Amino acid sequence: MRADAQRNRDKIVEVARAFFRAKGFDAVSMDEVAKGAEVGPGTLYRHFPTKESLYDAVLESWAEKVNAAVDRALSLNGSAREQLMTWLTDYAAMLTENKGAAARITAALGDPGSPFAGKCRTYVNANQRLIDGLDSALRPGVEAMQISRLVGGLAAVADNSELPPESVAPMLAVVADGLLAP
Amino acid sequence: MRADAQRNRDKIVEVARAFFRAKGFDAVSMDEVAKGAEVGPGTLYRHFPTKESLYDAVLESWAEKVNAAVDRALSLNGSAREQLMTWLTDYAAMLTENKGAAARITAALGDPGSPFAGKCRTYVNANQRLIDGLDSALRPGVEAMQISRLVGGLAAVADNSELPPESVAPMLAVVADGLLAP
DNA sequence: TGCCAAACGGAGAGTGTCTCCGTATAGTTC
DNA sequence: GAACTATACGGAGACACTCTCCGTTTGGCA
């Protein structure tokens, strides 16, 4: 990639990240990202053919954070319920940083053609590692995709309604207790 | 209301209902509803000032269905868990009829200014009646709004991914078990 | 039949995503 | 450092959508 192209790409992602964080996915237009990055719309669209692909690039480090959160939860010296709640709380908290991310990633679960397919795999794999780590503490037959959808749906609601963590916690507790073996 | 206005209004709602059911909220344009109902865009917008207000009119009978589903669940001769699962299953099933409804109604929870505010009240009240009906079988401190958000979020995911009922059932079971007293 | 408030409908404003293509430039070659 | 070419740029504008304004038509009543 040519040096000017790389410079522009970096600036676009940087500007877009700030805009998305401040206003959420829907409220940011591609035109304003282009203006903010001081490039033309054509340049923006050569680097990122759709608005969603730009969002995907903005969420680049998200995968690392998800994996780190699972590691943190599994390495805790506590009950399975505490480990589960730690992971769920961390995940829900991650989404307050990127308004609209929960809904989009959750909606893309099971759609390999989505720009977020990579993010989805990371997320489902994280839940699979959690299942493996918690071993027999969970109800039998529970699947990673089910946890992903349950928590993703709840996170999307919390994100959309801008619920404070203390309002989300009781709902996470319901999901956690439901996931633990009866 | 003048006779021609009433005729047009009825036809618009009828056409819109068919379109929304077939393609979902986002994929239907106001222009095609106007064309389908054989009226001009101006006429359409005098009857329904926004697309969401049109959707609200299409979902008119939804409130009755929700209340009927709660009644049905509470009148069952079964365990609290069976009653709960019956209601959750009925609610989730209701949404396959109107693609996009779950996400919109759930997103409007707690926003009195939304065109769906009336639908939200109905829905939260239904969950409150469920709580009152199931009495002490539920975990202490659980609130109607929490159930509304939990189930709404899950329903939105199921709707969006077009999950078959047998895929939704295990997730509903998790929520149900989580809601029942430990 | 004549009147007029009510309703109609379509052109178009405003806003968004995304494309096409003539122009400019980075990086290589002599 | 000049010429060359592949690469990248940027802006006009195509297209789709929601929603508005306003001149025209019509239903219902006196």
Side-chain angles (χ1 to χ4, degrees), chain B residues 3 18 22 30 32 40 49 51 53 62 73 75 101 107 126 130 138 144 158 162 171 178:
Chain B
M30 291 297 262
E32 79 184 287
K51 190 177 176 183
S53 69
W62 192 82
S75 65
L130 188 89
L138 294 183
E162 297 185 355
M171 295 191 281

Side-chain angles (χ1 to χ4, degrees), chain A residues 4-177:
Chain A
D4 54 345
Q6 184 67 57
R7 248 196 326 273
N8 279 332
R9 190 187 190 285
D10 292 347
K11 185 151 190 198
I12 287 169
V13 172
E14 178 193 337
V15 167
R17 177 174 291 123
F19 280 4
F20 283 138
R21 195 161 290 183
K23 313 204 289 178
F25 184 84
D26 289 333
V28 175
S29 81
M30 292 296 262
D31 265 20
E32 80 184 286
V33 171
K35 279 201 173 59
E38 295 173 309
V39 300
T43 300
L44 172 53
Y45 276 93
R46 191 167 339 89
H47 286 294
F48 304 101
T50 65
K51 190 178 176 182
E52 300 211 317
S53 69
L54 171 59
Y55 200 41
D56 185 62
V58 162
L59 294 178
E60 194 57 39
S61 64
W62 192 80
E64 302 164 22
K65 287 188 184 177
V66 166
N67 283 319
V70 174
D71 290 338
R72 189 171 96 82
L74 288 178
S75 66
L76 269 186
N77 273 331
S79 66
R81 188 175 192 284
E82 280 167 341
Q83 290 183 323
L84 190 54
M85 277 301 289
T86 298
W87 154 241
L88 297 181
T89 305
D90 274 3
Y91 180 69
M94 260 178 241
L95 300 157
T96 63
E97 289 178 18
N98 286 288
K99 198 163 159 50
R104 269 157 214 287
I105 293 171
T106 305
L109 283 170
D111 172 14
S114 161
F116 302 118
K119 302 280 184 293
C120 291
R121 267 196 306 278
T122 301
Y123 177 38
V124 177
N125 287 344
N127 277 315
Q128 184 59 55
R129 287 176 53 216
L130 187 88
I131 292 176
D132 296 342
L134 292 185
D135 204 35
S136 59
L138 294 183
R139 72 159 57 198
V142 69
E143 294 165 13
M145 184 60 94
Q146 290 170 355
I147 302 183
S148 303
R149 289 198 164 115
L150 270 168
V151 181
L154 179 51
V157 173
D159 178 40
N160 184 285
S161 300
E162 298 185 355
L163 300 182
E166 63 266 26
S167 296
V168 181
M171 295 190 283
L172 290 176
V174 168
V175 173
D177 284 342

Side-chain angles (χ1 to χ4, degrees), chain B residues 12-26:
Chain B
I12 287 169
V13 172
E14 178 193 338
V15 167
R17 177 175 291 124
F19 280 4
F20 283 139
R21 195 161 290 184
K23 312 204 288 179
F25 185 84
D26 289 332

Side-chain angles (χ1 to χ4, degrees), chain B residues 112-137:
Chain B
S114 160
F116 302 118
K119 302 279 185 290
C120 291
R121 266 196 306 278
T122 300
Y123 177 38
V124 177
N125 287 344
N127 277 315
Q128 185 59 55
R129 287 177 53 215
L130 188 89
I131 293 177
D132 296 341
L134 293 184
D135 203 38
S136 60

